[in-house]
Amino acid sequence: MVKAMYRIIITCISAIAIVSNIVAQSLSMTETRIFNSNFKTLQVHPANNEFAPPVIELNSDERLIISFDELKSDRTYLRYRIVHCNADWQPSQLIESEYIDGFNEGIIDDYAFSSATLTNYVNYRIVLPNNDIIFTTSGNYLVQIYPEDDPDDTLLQVRFYVVEPLMNIYGKVSAITDIDARRNHQQLEIMVENTDESIRNWTNDIQLRLTQNSRYDTEKVLSYPNLTEHNRAIYQHDRRLIFPAGNEFRRFEVVSTTYPGLNVSNIEYIHPYYHIDIMDDEPRSDKPYIYDQTQYGHYKVRQSGVNDSDSEADYIITHFSLYMPQQTSGNIYIDGDFTQHNYSPINRMRYNSESGKYEISLMLKMGSYNYQYLFVPDGLKVGQTSKIEGNHYATVNEYFARVYYRPIGSRYDRLVGYTVLYSN
């Protein structure tokens, strides 16, 4: 009875959150983010690989897929606009006609109503570029989605990249770093090769940026190389390229409501939703490293026995718990692509002194998920793996390296190369 009442309370809290607008928006806030909690399951990826970084090549046949759900029975008339950004994700000085061929106001008319689900929702889909919007300039891009009758109300937004491949990037990840060897860190070595002879004095005009597992809070920015030779810029033995190694992501899977999936301890229906309990987690910082093949924080929507999981997979209230006998200073967040790697009240865990656990309940679409727990000290905005997950040199991490080119007098940063590297 007590457990059922707890479920009902959590369900009510989730319902309240659904109808609340949780964050104020502005153009200066350019993270991938959901501003209105009626919207869920925001994803962006190339059409041919749902786990690849959201990059397409300029003037190519490549397409980018953006999808999301709105928890609602009827369609909302939505539009989207494109914002060109510099390497630091602030809007560039370009006007729309300088980076888009077409009209920078797209109508979202590709949608599907949910079918045979307890939770009613509408699944929306945007394909870029398309007949109305063609990119003419490389760089960082932001898609902002808003109601047709209120362009100032940004409901959600997502980042992606358009690259013109003028430079090659080569690299490796080593557990032998300039601060420790096979312990807690990983260090990258990068070589950038200029393949376009028309670009001169290029080593003074490039910027290298690297992210680990899609997290921008730990992004590394290098404005100059350590060494140059002919058409190559080399970054090696550079402490700016050292990352905490972290740990393999935790995983769970729920693809059916008739049986618990991977790392799910219980599943039950309490009107009006199904609820699942993820098996109790514990800190791993003092435990030996164990390899587990994960997807570096990504997730996949999937329900068994249906034809189209995008519109037929149901939503489930998912309960996470992290056992810690004492409450810590600072905050603990649950992190993964499904939280957009942000630190907000939505994914901040609450401490339950009676159970001795940090707890959180999220409404998630059925599928396979990667997640981890990050500690953020008071007054800081960078998540730490050391306190809960631990840092192990053998961890397999995904590194996304980008090179930007901005010669003197230019008004924007061109994205001229990228690569994805994996440790170990």
Side-chain angles (χ1 to χ4, degrees):
M1 183 65 180
V2 173
K3 187 174 183 181
M5 287 297 296
Y6 169 75
R7 297 288 199 226
I8 293 171
I9 291 171
I10 292 298
T11 299
C12 291
I13 292 173
S14 299
I16 292 171
I18 288 171
V19 298
S20 65
N21 196 320
I22 60 172
V23 184
Q25 316 105 42
S26 70
L27 266 181
S28 62
M29 185 185 296
T30 59
E31 301 92 346
T32 292
R33 186 179 289 267
I34 296 174
F35 296 108
N36 184 308
S37 56
N38 279 341
F39 293 86
K40 305 285 185 184
T41 318
L42 175 60
Q43 294 183 296
V44 55
H45 57 80
N48 61 347
N49 188 346
E50 60 186 308
F51 292 126
V55 185
I56 53 174
E57 186 174 322
L58 186 67
N59 300 323
S60 74
D61 294 330
E62 297 175 355
R63 295 292 180 267
L64 201 75
I65 307 295
I66 300 170
S67 63
F68 57 92
D69 295 338
E70 182 182 14
L71 304 187
K72 190 178 179 183
S73 299
D74 299 322
R75 172 200 177 188
T76 299
Y77 288 89
L78 300 173
R79 291 179 179 267
Y80 65 92
R81 58 177 163 254
I82 310 293
V83 180
H84 186 274
C85 296
N86 286 321
D88 62 357
W89 286 106
Q90 294 307 298
S92 70
Q93 298 179 24
L94 299 182
I95 60 175
E96 293 175 358
S97 60
E98 292 181 286
Y99 59 86
I100 284 178
D101 180 8
F103 297 98
N104 190 10
E105 187 180 23
I107 299 173
I108 304 179
D109 54 8
D110 186 352
Y111 61 91
F113 295 104
S114 59
S115 175
T117 57
L118 295 175
T119 302
N120 293 324
Y121 63 87
V122 184
N123 177 254
Y124 298 91
R125 175 184 167 104
I126 302 170
V127 179
L128 293 173
N130 52 48
N131 292 334
D132 299 318
I133 294 179
I134 299 174
F135 304 111
T136 59
T137 302
S138 68
N140 292 359
Y141 281 86
L142 186 72
V143 174
Q144 295 185 316
I145 296 155
Y146 56 91
E148 184 177 60
D149 59 355
D150 190 359
D152 294 329
D153 182 19
T154 301
L155 300 170
L156 61 163
Q157 62 189 22
V158 64
R159 293 174 170 181
F160 68 94
Y161 305 86
V162 176
V163 63
E164 47 181 325
L166 304 179
M167 299 184 189
N168 296 325
I169 308 176
Y170 307 95
K172 67 177 182 179
V173 186
S174 175
I176 301 176
T177 77
D178 290 342
I179 60 175
D180 60 17
R182 296 189 176 91
R183 292 187 63 189
N184 308 122
H185 296 86
Q186 294 173 348
Q187 185 165 351
L188 285 80
E189 293 186 7
I190 301 291
M191 182 181 71
V192 178
E193 181 182 57
N194 178 18
T195 61
D196 191 329
E197 294 183 357
S198 66
I199 298 179
R200 309 206 180 266
N201 299 321
W202 62 281
T203 53
N204 297 320
D205 302 324
I206 63 172
Q207 182 181 120
L208 175 67
R209 286 180 173 251
L210 298 106
T211 54
Q212 181 195 65
N213 301 328
S214 304
R215 287 178 55 193
Y216 287 93
D217 60 325
T218 58
E219 182 180 43
K220 307 293 186 180
V221 181
L222 289 80
S223 57
Y224 57 88
N226 305 99
L227 178 67
T228 60
E229 52 180 38
H230 187 47
N231 66 333
R232 295 176 178 176
I234 299 171
Y235 306 78
Q236 63 181 178
H237 293 295
D238 192 321
R239 294 198 175 196
R240 296 174 294 175
L241 291 179
I242 298 176
F243 288 80
N247 206 338
E248 305 296 344
F249 278 83
R250 304 172 193 253
R251 296 187 295 149
F252 78 91
E253 182 176 79
V254 54
V255 297
S256 172
T257 57
T258 60
Y259 60 88
L262 175 70
N263 286 332
V264 174
S265 62
N266 184 59
I267 183 168
E268 62 180 320
Y269 176 76
I270 301 174
H271 182 76
Y273 304 114
Y274 275 97
H275 294 248
I276 65 168
D277 292 318
I278 305 301
M279 291 184 178
D280 286 349
D281 287 318
E282 295 182 350
R284 300 185 291 176
S285 55
D286 59 350
K287 298 182 183 299
Y289 167 78
I290 299 176
Y291 170 74
D292 184 21
Q293 185 174 4
T294 70
Q295 290 295 334
Y296 320 107
H298 306 314
Y299 70 98
K300 178 180 177 63
V301 171
R302 186 167 70 91
Q303 180 172 341
S304 61
V306 302
N307 295 320
D308 183 7
S309 292
D310 286 339
S311 60
E312 295 180 72
D314 217 330
Y315 276 86
I316 291 182
I317 305 297
T318 306
H319 303 276
F320 298 85
S321 59
L322 175 67
Y323 177 72
M324 293 185 71
Q326 292 184 338
Q327 184 175 6
T328 183
S329 61
N331 291 301
I332 295 175
Y333 294 85
I334 192 162
D335 173 73
D337 279 5
F338 64 99
T339 69
Q340 295 86 51
H341 300 281
N342 291 321
Y343 305 121
S344 76
I346 295 299
N347 64 318
R348 185 178 67 232
M349 306 190 75
R350 279 75 177 175
Y351 190 70
N352 184 335
S353 57
E354 293 186 5
S355 65
K357 299 174 184 176
Y358 278 89
E359 299 171 342
I360 192 170
S361 298
L362 299 174
M363 178 176 269
L364 300 177
K365 205 170 185 179
M366 297 175 68
S368 303
Y369 287 79
N370 281 191
Y371 69 100
Q372 65 179 348
Y373 298 106
L374 296 179
F375 171 70
V376 179
D378 290 333
L380 298 181
K381 296 182 180 180
V382 178
Q384 300 177 0
T385 52
S386 56
K387 189 176 186 68
I388 301 171
E389 303 295 358
N391 289 312
H392 302 277
Y393 74 89
T395 302
V396 182
N397 289 304
E398 180 182 77
Y399 293 94
F400 179 33
R402 287 116 38 220
V403 172
Y404 298 88
Y405 173 63
R406 185 169 189 164
I408 295 175
S410 178
R411 294 161 45 235
Y412 71 100
D413 296 321
R414 298 164 62 182
L415 178 58
V416 293
Y418 84 98
T419 194
V420 179
L421 305 169
Y422 296 91
S423 54
N424 296 302

